[in-house]
Amino acid sequence: MTKHIYIYSPSSAIRDKAAFRRGVKRLQALGHEVEIDPDALSVHQRFAGDDATRLAAISRAAASGANIALIARGGYGLTRILDQIPYKAVAKAIQKGTEFVGCSDFTALQNALVAKTGAVTWSGPAVGEDFGAEAGADDIMEACFDDLVSGQGEGTGWRMPARDADLKFKPVEDAVLWGGNLCVLTSLLGTPYFPVVDKGVLFIEDTNEHPYRIERMLDQLKMAGVLGKQKAIVFGQFTGIRKVPGYDRGFGLDTVVDRLRASLKKVPVLTGLPFGHVPTKVLLPVGAKVAMAAEGRDVFLVWGHRHAHSHDHDHAHSH
Amino acid sequence: MTKHIYIYSPSSAIRDKAAFRRGVKRLQALGHEVEIDPDALSVHQRFAGDDATRLAAISRAAASGANIALIARGGYGLTRILDQIPYKAVAKAIQKGTEFVGCSDFTALQNALVAKTGAVTWSGPAVGEDFGAEAGADDIMEACFDDLVSGQGEGTGWRMPARDADLKFKPVEDAVLWGGNLCVLTSLLGTPYFPVVDKGVLFIEDTNEHPYRIERMLDQLKMAGVLGKQKAIVFGQFTGIRKVPGYDRGFGLDTVVDRLRASLKKVPVLTGLPFGHVPTKVLLPVGAKVAMAAEGRDVFLVWGHRHAHSHDHDHAHSH
C-alpha cells in the first residue's frame, strides 16, 4: 500500500548522510512515495537549519498532505522553539489524516502538542537511525510502522523481564498515553508545554544517562505531583547507562525502579517496553486513550481502531 | 579567631579520604575547632549513608550549635530527600547563628530552604574539594571564608571577561540572591522546593555539561517564567564543557549566553562570577538581599552587614 511520506528535520543536523540515504531508500523499497523537505539536510551550528528554518519545515510537514510526517533524526532543537511551534496547524494536519512520527527530541513537540491541542502523534522511528540502520531496519519496528500506515494497528504488547515476573496490576482502562524521552519530557516541567494528564499511562526511555540522573528526574516528576496521579508508569529501554564501577556500588537502574515502586505504592511501575534508543521499537500513540492489562509477564497495550479521517485520506492516495 | 566548624555529609559518600583529611587539617591549621559528624564517612551505595542516616546528619548539624556547618562534599543525595529535610530545625539553627555552607548538590537544600523558610545559607566551599585540594586551598576562597567566620564580609566583586566589557546594566538594589548549580536548581522546578523569587539576582554554575543541555535548562527556566522576572542573571563558572568538535560547529556557551541575552532583552546577563566547580570561589548568601552595580568591567555584589545573632554567638565560642 503506497503511502506519501514527508521527511523533515526539526532538530539536529544530519551528520550521517549515508544512513539518511539508506533510510529513504528503505522507505521507497517498502513501496512508499517519499518527499524530502528542502531543508532536511540543512546545517546551522548543531541544528538542521536555524530556528526559523526548522519552524518552516514543521509548517511544510503540516501542509504536505502526506500520510506520514517522519523526522529525519532526533538530537536537539525542539525545546528551544516550543514557544513558536505552529501547534494549530500541526493539529489540523493530524485531523486531516497526517500522522506525525518521531522520537527522542521529538518528545518535546509531542507532549507540547498534547498540552496545547490534545492531538495525537506517534512515538516511533526516525529515518536515519531506524530505517537507515547499517544492520538493516528492524523487523518489529517495520511491522509496527506498517500497522500504522495500513491503519490496521490497534495496540502492541511485550513480555516483562523475569525480574518483574511477579508484578501484578489492575487492568487500566480509558487512560491517556503520554511520555517519551525522560530527559526531554522533564525539561518541559514547569512550562506551559508540559501536558496536564491525570490518570494516564506515562512511558519513559532514555539513553546515556547516569542512574542518579534518571532518579533525579523521576523524583522531580514525583515531587511535582505528576507520577502519583498516573494509572501506570511504563519503563521503556534505558540504554548506555553510565554507571561508574566501584563508585555507584550497587546503585543502578534496578535500584531506581525499586525505590520508585516503594514510594509510589499505588501506581504500578512496569518495565520492558520495547521503545527507546534501540532498533526494536514499537510505535506508540502519544495523547491517545489506551487500555493496558497483563497475562503473566505479557503486557497488552491497546488503543483500538483509530483514524477514520486518515482512512478516507489513505484511499485518496493509494488508489 | 577560633570557630566551631561542624562537618557532615548530606550527599555523596566520600571516596577521596585523603582529600577529606587534608581539608580537616587545613581548617584546624586556620585555628578552628573541627567537629566531624559520626556518619561523615559512612557509605551506602553512592551515598554517605542511606537517606535516614543523611537526614539525621543534617539534624545533628542543625543541633550542633556550631558557627559553621560545612558539607564534606557535594555529589548527589539531597534532591531525593527534599520532602524529609528538617527545614524548620535548619532555619532555627541559622537564626541562632549557625551558618550553613556548601555547593553543588547542596544547591537543592539551599533553595528549598528559601522556598520553605526564607532562611539564608552560603554557597561556598566543601571540605574535600576545596580545603583539602591537593594543590592547597585557594587563597581567595579562604579569604572569603574568613570574611564569613569573622563576620566582616559585606560583599564580593569580580571583573567581567573582556568579551562583556561593553555590558551596561542599571544598578540592582534590594534583590534576593539565589541559585547555585544550574542542573540541581532546574531539578527543583515544578516542585514545592523551587523558591518563588521575583526581581531577584539569580546566579548559576555547572560542570561537565554539554552547551545544549545548559541551554535546555535555561530555556526551561525561561519558559517557566522564572528568568524574565529577575533583575539580573549572573553566570558563574561553567567547567568541563562537553563540546563535540566538528559537531557543535560554533555552538558553545557564548552562543547560549548571546541567545539568552537576545531573548530576555530587559534582564541583564552578567558573566564571570568566580563561583562553581573551581578552586577560586567566593561565598554567596543564598536568600539574602543584595545590591549589584558595575564600574566598567568590575562588578560589585553587596549584601551588607549580616548576622547580629551570630556575633553574640561567636563571642560565646571564641572567648
Side-chain angles (χ1 to χ4, degrees):
Chain A
M1 200 184 312
T2 296
K3 298 288 170 172
H4 174 195
I5 298 180
Y6 192 90
I7 296 174
Y8 67 112
S9 295
S11 304
S12 280
I14 292 174
R15 301 300 187 200
D16 188 345
K17 293 205 178 82
F20 177 74
R21 281 191 297 264
R22 278 195 304 269
V24 170
K25 278 192 182 165
R26 178 65 194 160
L27 286 161
Q28 290 166 334
L30 292 169
H32 300 305
E33 175 204 322
V34 176
E35 182 181 3
I36 299 175
D37 184 81
D39 278 309
L41 291 163
S42 288
V43 178
H44 171 76
Q45 293 167 349
R46 57 179 299 134
F47 308 101
D50 64 14
D51 292 351
T53 299
R54 299 192 325 283
L55 284 162
I58 295 169
S59 291
R60 284 191 297 266
S64 67
N67 300 97
I68 307 279
L70 183 61
I71 63 163
R73 64 162 296 198
Y76 172 66
L78 281 164
T79 50
R80 56 187 253 151
I81 52 175
L82 282 173
D83 50 355
Q84 299 168 73
I85 286 174
Y87 295 106
K88 281 184 187 170
V90 173
K92 202 174 166 190
I94 291 168
Q95 202 182 14
K96 287 188 176 176
T98 301
E99 305 284 7
F100 282 73
V101 180
C103 55
S104 199
D105 189 48
F106 195 62
T107 300
L109 188 149
Q110 295 184 276
N111 289 277
L113 196 68
V114 172
K116 292 293 173 192
T117 72
V120 174
T121 58
W122 294 82
S123 289
V127 175
E129 289 96 328
D130 293 297
F131 288 103
E134 199 149 18
D138 181 81
D139 289 344
I140 291 173
M141 180 280 288
E142 285 200 340
C144 293
F145 188 74
D146 192 60
D147 274 353
L148 174 63
V149 298
S150 66
Q152 300 304 309
E154 301 195 356
T156 191
W158 73 97
R159 174 160 284 199
M160 281 193 290
R163 184 175 183 274
D164 292 333
D166 296 330
L167 187 79
K168 300 273 179 273
F169 67 94
K170 212 178 111 189
V172 169
E173 288 189 0
D174 202 33
V176 171
L177 181 70
W178 65 302
N181 181 267
L182 176 61
C183 199
V184 174
L185 182 73
T186 307
S187 78
L188 307 182
L189 195 61
T191 80
Y193 309 104
F194 191 86
V196 179
V197 180
D198 292 350
K199 301 180 182 178
V201 171
L202 175 64
F203 72 97
I204 50 172
E205 61 84 20
D206 221 323
T207 189
N208 294 324
E209 292 288 353
H210 296 263
Y212 86 83
R213 285 188 170 234
I214 295 167
E215 179 174 86
R216 191 163 63 190
M217 290 187 276
L218 290 168
D219 275 345
Q220 184 175 5
L221 292 170
K222 187 179 73 182
M223 291 181 189
V226 174
L227 300 191
K229 68 183 182 188
Q230 302 305 313
K231 284 188 179 167
I233 315 291
V234 181
F235 276 61
Q237 304 302 306
F238 285 74
T239 50
I241 287 279
R242 295 193 178 181
K243 223 164 144 179
V244 188
Y247 185 91
D248 286 317
R249 296 208 189 170
F251 180 83
L253 190 62
D254 287 347
T255 328
V256 172
V257 170
D258 290 346
R259 178 170 165 274
L260 185 67
R261 284 176 173 155
S263 75
L264 286 180
K265 292 185 184 84
K266 288 178 186 171
V267 184
V269 177
L270 282 67
T271 61
L273 174 71
F275 184 77
H277 286 69
V278 287
T280 303
K281 47 166 72 85
V282 297
L283 274 77
L284 299 163
V286 169
K289 287 282 180 77
V290 296
M292 190 170 68
E295 286 177 24
R297 279 164 63 188
D298 295 316
V299 184
F300 303 92
L301 181 70
V302 180
W303 44 85
H305 203 65
R306 294 187 53 81
H307 317 296
H309 281 97
S310 74
H311 275 190
D312 294 340
H313 187 75
D314 286 357
H315 288 289
H317 275 88
S318 50
H319 288 293
Chain B
M1 199 181 314
T2 296
K3 296 289 170 172
H4 174 195
I5 298 180
Y6 193 89
I7 295 173
Y8 66 114
S9 294
S11 303
S12 280
I14 292 174
R15 301 298 188 200
D16 188 345
K17 293 204 178 83
F20 178 74
R21 283 192 295 263
R22 279 196 304 270
V24 170
K25 277 192 183 164
R26 178 65 193 161
L27 286 162
Q28 289 167 333
L30 292 170
H32 301 304
E33 174 204 323
V34 176
E35 183 180 3
I36 299 175
D37 184 81
D39 279 310
L41 291 163
S42 289
V43 177
H44 172 75
Q45 293 167 348
R46 57 180 298 135
F47 309 101
D50 63 15
D51 291 352
T53 300
R54 300 194 323 283
L55 284 163
I58 295 169
S59 291
R60 284 191 297 267
S64 67
N67 300 98
I68 307 278
L70 182 61
I71 63 163
R73 65 162 295 200
Y76 171 67
L78 281 164
T79 50
R80 56 186 253 150
I81 53 175
L82 281 173
D83 51 355
Q84 299 168 72
I85 286 173
Y87 295 106
K88 281 184 185 169
V90 173
K92 202 174 167 191
I94 292 167
Q95 201 183 15
K96 286 187 176 177
T98 301
E99 306 285 8
F100 282 74
V101 180
C103 56
S104 200
D105 189 49
F106 194 63
T107 301
L109 188 150
Q110 295 184 278
N111 288 277
L113 196 68
V114 172
K116 292 292 172 191
T117 73
V120 174
T121 58
W122 294 82
S123 290
V127 175
E129 289 95 328
D130 294 298
F131 290 103
E134 198 149 18
D138 181 80
D139 289 345
I140 291 172
M141 179 280 289
E142 285 200 340
C144 293
F145 187 75
D146 191 61
D147 273 355
L148 173 62
V149 298
S150 67
Q152 299 303 307
E154 301 194 356
T156 190
W158 74 97
R159 174 160 286 200
M160 281 192 290
R163 185 175 182 273
D164 292 332
D166 295 330
L167 186 81
K168 300 271 179 275
F169 67 93
K170 213 178 109 187
V172 169
E173 287 189 0
D174 202 32
V176 171
L177 181 69
W178 65 302
N181 180 267
L182 176 60
C183 199
V184 174
L185 182 74
T186 307
S187 78
L188 307 183
L189 196 61
T191 80
Y193 310 103
F194 191 87
V196 179
V197 180
D198 292 349
K199 301 179 180 177
V201 170
L202 175 63
F203 72 97
I204 50 172
E205 61 84 20
D206 220 323
T207 188
N208 294 324
E209 292 288 354
H210 296 263
Y212 85 84
R213 285 190 170 232
I214 295 166
E215 181 174 85
R216 191 163 61 191
M217 291 187 275
L218 290 167
D219 275 346
Q220 184 175 5
L221 292 170
K222 188 180 73 183
M223 291 182 190
V226 173
L227 300 191
K229 67 183 184 187
Q230 302 306 313
K231 284 187 178 168
I233 315 290
V234 182
F235 276 60
Q237 304 301 305
F238 285 73
T239 50
I241 287 277
R242 294 192 179 180
K243 223 164 146 178
V244 187
Y247 185 92
D248 286 317
R249 296 209 189 168
F251 179 84
L253 190 63
D254 287 348
T255 328
V256 172
V257 170
D258 291 345
R259 179 169 165 275
L260 185 67
R261 283 175 174 156
S263 74
L264 286 180
K265 292 186 183 86
K266 288 178 183 171
V267 183
V269 177
L270 283 67
T271 61
L273 173 71
F275 184 76
H277 286 69
V278 288
T280 303
K281 48 166 72 84
V282 298
L283 275 78
L284 299 163
V286 168
K289 286 284 181 78
V290 297
M292 190 169 68
E295 286 178 23
R297 279 165 63 187
D298 295 316
V299 184
F300 303 93
L301 181 69
V302 181
W303 44 85
H305 202 63
R306 295 188 51 81
H307 315 295
H309 282 99
S310 74
H311 275 188
D312 296 339
H313 187 76
D314 287 356
H315 288 290
H317 275 89
S318 53
H319 288 293

